[in-house]
Amino acid sequence: MKIRIFRTEEQLADALARCVVQHLQEQPKLVLGLPTGRTPLPLYRALVARHAKGESDYSNVDTFNLDEFVGIAPSHPGSYRSYMSEHLFRHVNVSRRRTHFLDGQAKDLDAECARFEDRILRAGGIDLQILGIGENGHIGFNEPAAELSPWSHLVKLTLASRRANAGFFGGKLTDVPKEALSMGMSTIMHARSIVLMATGKRKAEIIAKTVSGAITTRIPASLLQLHSKVEILLDEDAASKLRSEGVVTSRGGRVHER
Ligand code: GLP
C-alpha cells in the first residue's frame, strides 16, 4: 500500500484530480469506479474545474458507481445518481448511457446485480476505482460482518450508515432508505488500481486499522491490503493515528510505503 499524506483536503483532491486527468489523457476509454459521500466532493469540484479549463475529455469514459439506495427513483434528490449528476456528470462531457448505476428500483434485485456485474465485464473491467471509507471500515456499502459478499448484492444498511447519509435526505433519518445495492468486495478488488481517500479526524482510527491492522471481514477496507495496486490518500487529520515510521517526504505529499 502506498500512503500519501496532504496538508489539506483540497491539496489531496487536487493531486487525485491531476492523476485522474492524466489517466484520461493516456487512456481515453478509461473505466472509472466512483464513490459518493462527503469526502469526494472536493475531488469532483477539482475535476469539474480541470474540465472547464479543457484538460479532460470524458466522451469515451464509462463510470460505475459503487452503490445506490433501494426503492427511490434515480431522480430523487437523495439518490446517488442525483448526487453524481449534481457534482460531476452535468459539468463534464460524459455520456449518460455510459454512467452506470445499480438500479434500486429494479423488480428483481438479484438479476439487477448480475446485470451490473456483466456490464462491468463488458466494459473491460474497472481501471481505476476511487473509494471513500465509512467510520466502521465499510467500503461501498460492504458493512463489517462475519462474511462479506463477493459480488454486487442487496445490503441492509446499519443505523450508523443511514445516519451518515441523513444529510442527503434533508437531515431526516426516517427518509433514508433501509436497503441499498452495492458492489461486492470482489467487484472492488478486481479493479486494476484502487485509490482510497479519507479526510478528517473522524476517520483517523479506522485508517490506522485499515492500513496496519489485521485483515478481517470486520473491517472490510482492511482487505485492500491484499491488492497489489492501492494508494491511500489522506489529509493530516485522517493520518494522525498512523505510526510515523517509514514516512518520507516527496513531491505531492508525504509518502509512506507499507
Ligand atoms: C457511504 C457510502 C460510501 C462512502 C462512505 C463514507 O455511505 N456508501 O461509498 O465512502 O459512506 O462517506 P463520507 O465520505 O461522507 O464520510
Side-chain angles (χ1 to χ4, degrees):
M1 274 178 162
K2 182 187 246 187
I3 300 161
R4 294 172 66 192
I5 304 165
F6 299 85
R7 252 187 332 108
T8 65
E9 60 174 2
E10 282 75 23
Q11 285 172 1
L12 183 166
D14 196 53
L16 182 50
R18 206 178 326 124
C19 156
V20 171
V21 166
Q22 202 177 327
H23 268 85
L24 281 172
Q25 288 165 353
E26 286 162 11
Q27 196 180 338
K29 290 191 171 178
L30 193 68
V31 181
L32 274 173
L34 296 174
T36 49
R38 271 169 291 273
T39 314
L41 290 174
L43 167 68
Y44 294 144
R45 279 196 293 275
L47 286 173
V48 170
R50 283 178 182 271
H51 186 71
K53 285 197 244 160
E55 292 180 18
S56 53
D57 175 12
Y58 291 81
S59 57
N60 288 307
V61 168
D62 277 286
T63 68
F64 289 89
N65 262 81
L66 274 166
D67 41 22
E68 182 57 286
F69 292 108
V70 165
I72 58 170
S75 58
H76 186 290
S79 77
Y80 285 158
R81 184 178 269 285
S82 294
Y83 168 108
M84 289 306 302
S85 164
E86 180 184 344
H87 297 293
L88 182 66
F89 295 159
R90 70 186 169 91
H91 307 284
V92 300
N93 65 333
V94 69
S95 142
R96 193 177 196 276
R97 65 182 181 85
R98 286 180 178 268
T99 57
H100 308 280
F101 286 81
L102 284 150
D103 176 2
Q105 282 201 311
K107 280 209 183 68
D108 181 341
L109 294 174
D110 286 341
E112 171 55 15
C113 289
R115 179 202 65 83
F116 189 71
E117 289 292 339
D118 184 59
R119 198 63 200 79
I120 294 175
L121 270 184
R122 285 196 289 127
I126 295 172
D127 295 306
L128 173 62
Q129 175 67 58
I130 301 172
L131 298 173
I133 182 170
E135 282 173 60
N136 61 2
H138 75 224
I139 49 179
F141 269 134
N142 294 281
E143 301 280 16
E147 285 178 25
L148 299 176
S149 302
W151 306 110
S152 294
H153 59 289
L154 176 64
V155 180
K156 199 171 155 24
L157 297 175
T158 61
L159 193 55
S161 289
R162 291 180 63 226
R163 281 210 181 97
N165 277 278
F168 296 109
F169 290 83
K172 275 183 80 182
L173 179 63
T174 46
D175 285 355
V176 183
K178 294 195 169 73
E179 292 175 327
L181 297 179
S182 175
M183 283 186 192
M185 292 306 299
S186 294
T187 326
I188 294 170
M189 295 290 279
H190 274 72
R192 289 181 191 91
S193 63
I194 299 178
V195 176
L196 181 144
M197 29 177 348
T199 54
K201 279 232 165 347
R202 287 185 307 119
K203 301 284 171 73
E205 188 79 49
I206 197 64
I207 283 296
K209 288 183 179 157
T210 293
V211 167
S212 327
I215 298 171
T216 163
T217 60
R218 297 290 173 191
I219 301 178
S222 67
L223 270 75
L224 296 175
Q225 293 179 37
L226 300 170
H227 194 284
S228 61
K229 210 157 173 239
V230 177
E231 276 201 332
I232 312 273
L233 305 193
L234 306 171
D235 68 356
E236 299 267 358
D237 282 343
S240 58
K241 296 213 163 139
L242 287 180
R243 292 188 321 245
S244 59
E245 65 262 36
V247 177
V248 292
T249 303
S250 88
R251 244 166 46 134
R254 284 186 293 147
V255 178
H256 169 119
E257 297 265 8
R258 206 186 113 77

